[in-house]
Each structure stands twice: as structure tokens, then as C-alpha cells.
Amino acid sequence: VKDKPIGIFDSGLGGITVLRSLLEKFPNESFIYIGDLARLPYGNKSPDTIRKYGEQILNYLNKMGTKAVVIACNSASTVFLGEDSYNGIPLFNVIEPGANLAAKTTKNNKVAVMSTTATMKAHAYKKELLKCNPNLLVEEKATPLLVPLAEEGWLHEKITKDIIQKYLNEIELKFDTLILGCTHYPILRDDIKNCLSPDIMLIESGDALAINLDEKLKLLDLKSTDSNHRTIQILTTDLTEHFETLAHNLVKPYKINSFERITL
Ligand code: DGL
């Protein structure tokens, strides 16, 4: 079991930012990534629909024999929150680690969260943050337009900066810590940073999750020891050249072994 791949999924490109962090932190692990491109975005759909899509992907990954699954999508993590396994396979979401890290990071106890509408409406981050520290002040802001901008690869564009700035201006809280509560947003990290004063701390799902995952894999004795045969497979429900190009760029310097279109 130890040398089986880790499954990881998102609606599209966003989860590749999490995959990128994991590739660096887990040099011996193989990964199978599923991007549900045909049904993107998830973030404006209802919890029932997101749950249905998530279960289809989990069943697919289970059949492929993954030893653990990372839900590299905040909108999907929201509907699986508190569930640490699915059909016997350990499950990891990005919300709890992100909230924990933010609660430890803030100095003024004021945390803002940018996320999709689904994540915002579930108040998943607010609940987790207050569990960590009931004295925190939290403001959640839905910033759904950042998902298509990231999918399109519109980095360092004036219009991207304007949209980010408009969203940030609408946050009233004087936060010192900002959670990028959607895995697509780290793609726009530089644009977001440029709109903020330099002392604001940004929290990203991938880094926060890696610590949890490492501890849990050790505990379950599931860490791979095989450093010579790592593979990175990407499966998508729709496949375009544009996606392949952006995915290759996002995982650099690591190399994706294969892309394949699948039906769930
Ligand atoms: N990247 C996902 C998230 O973290 C989903 C974005 C979307 O499909 O709306 O929420």
C-alpha cells in the first residue's frame, strides 16, 4: 500500500497549486490528479451538487487504488468537512489546516478570507477559525471572479488587479492575515500581494496541508519509501491544450508524466 499513489482533485487548475506544494514536500510520493474541467466552476453550485461530483471523483480514485485522497478544492472540502475517510481511504481537506495556520499567524486577531461563494456561504473558515481561537474576528468575502481569471492565465493584467482591488476594498476588517480560501487564488498570488500592504500575511492551502498530511501518513505508516519511481498523472473530464500548458507551468520544475481524459 505504501507505494500506491496519493489521489488529489479539484474542479480545474486550482488544485495544481496544492499538488505543486506536495511534490516538493513529498519527493517519494506519486500522485494522480483529477481536474473536473467539464463541470468547472464548483464554487457557485449547491452543496448537494458539489457533494455528488466529489463522491464520483472519490469513487474513481478509490478504484484506481490511491492510498489517500487530498481534496484540493475548498468548495468541495466544505461539503466533506469533518470526514477523515471515505470508503476506508484517508481523506484530507484544505480548510482545517488553512484555518489552523491562519489562527497561529495573526497578531491582531483579525483574519479575512477570500473564497468562492459556496465556501463563503458554508462559513467553513469562520467556524474552523473560531474553534482555534474564539477571540478572532473574521470577515469572509466571496471573490468568484478570480477563478476564471486564474483558469484563463490572466496574471499581471490590469483588469485582474482592478478586480482584486475592488474585492479587497469591500472588506471592512483591518486584517493582518488573509486566507486564500480557494486553491485557484495562489495562481494570482503576485497580483493579490501587489494590492496589499507588504506586512499582510497570506495563507495558502497547499503549505498548510502538507504538514498535516506528513504527520498522518507517518502515523498510518503510509509514507512511500520508493524515491526512484515517482509518477505524476493528470486525469481530466475535459482536456484542452491550454490546460496542459498551464498545468506544466504550474508544477515546474517537476514533470507531469501523462494527461488523460476520463469519464466519471
Ligand atoms: N479551486 C476550487 C476551490 O478551492 C474551486 C473553484 C471553482 O471551481 O469555483 O474552491
Side-chain angles (χ1 to χ4, degrees), residues 10-11 40-43 73-75 116 147 182-184:
D10 181 37
S11 57
L40 171 116
Y42 278 10
C73 169
N74 288 265
S75 312
T116 64
V147 173
C182 168
T183 54
H184 278 77

